[in-house]
């Protein structure tokens, strides 16, 4: 493992911890898209099927379990916690994510590195992760103002993907048989989706004003 992948993993972990902090400290999920969280739970559940078949390292296993458990816990809180679920705004979170899931699954069947059960679902999870943030970004645009913890959560998610792109570039030049082109292309698409958010986050930081996305 190289430093860029490790930094990406830690940044991703920080984003999840920020979201959990927001939910458990404030007992509120205001500004958070349940649909994005459901998509991420589906991403991890389908990508890490190899937990029951392959062992890579203790670090690898622990991180996979953490990502699965945390994503499922967040979805559970937003759906079932008696206090947290009251703050969820269904009227703003209206992105039709089921069509995204279907499109990514079809893409996974057509474009994969090997037509096996595990590889098809791995490709599906990569495609789905690339667009999983869309419901969240749409919700933030509709709500206008973005609270600090939600803004930091999205910022660290975007930073995680940016670090993974550097990781792939590094691996391309240092590994003889690096072929994860699906992850590379999907990662670039995912990072591009954050561009608008990053721009307004920078303006907010520069002017020391509350983050607000244009509708």
């Amino acid at each position: 493992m190289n430093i860029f992948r490790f930094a990406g993993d830690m940044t991703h972990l920080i984003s999840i911890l920020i979201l959990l902090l927001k939910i458990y400290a404030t007992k509120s999920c205001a500004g958070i898209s349940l649909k994005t969280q459901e998509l991420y739970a589906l991403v991890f559940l389908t990508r890490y099927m190899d937990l029951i078949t392959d062992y890579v390292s203790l670090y690898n296993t622990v991180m996979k379990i953490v990502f699965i458990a945390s994503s499922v816990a967040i979805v559970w809180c937003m759906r079932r916690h008696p206090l947290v679920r009251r703050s969820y705004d269904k009227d703003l979170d209206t992105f039709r994510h089921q069509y995204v899931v279907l499109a990514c699954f079809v893409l996974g069947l057509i474009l994969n590195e090997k037509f096996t059960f595990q590889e098809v679902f791995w490709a599906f999870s990569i495609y789905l992760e690339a667009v999983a943030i869309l419901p969240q970004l749409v919700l933030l645009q509709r709500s206008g103002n973005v609270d600090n913890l939600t803004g930091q959560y999205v910022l660290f998610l975007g930073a995680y993907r940016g670090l993974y792109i550097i990781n792939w570039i590094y691996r391309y030049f240092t590994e003889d048989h690096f072929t994860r082109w699906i992850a590379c292309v999907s990662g670039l698409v995912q990072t591009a989706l954050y561009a608008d958010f990053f721009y307004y986050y920078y303006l907010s930081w520069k002017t020391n004003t509350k983050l607000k996305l244009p509708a």
Side-chain angles (χ1 to χ4, degrees), residues 4-25:
F4 304 113
R5 179 178 177 181
F6 179 76
D9 286 344
M10 292 302 103
T11 305
H12 194 182
L13 186 59
I14 290 172
S15 73
I16 293 174
L17 292 176
I18 289 173
L19 182 53
L20 288 171
L21 173 64
K22 171 184 171 65
I23 292 174
Y24 282 97

Side-chain angles (χ1 to χ4, degrees), residues 46-47 49 105 116-126:
T46 53
R47 181 176 304 169
M49 289 179 174
F105 183 70
T116 63
F117 181 85
Q118 192 165 300
E119 284 296 321
V120 166
F121 275 98
W122 177 85
F124 162 73
S125 75
I126 294 295

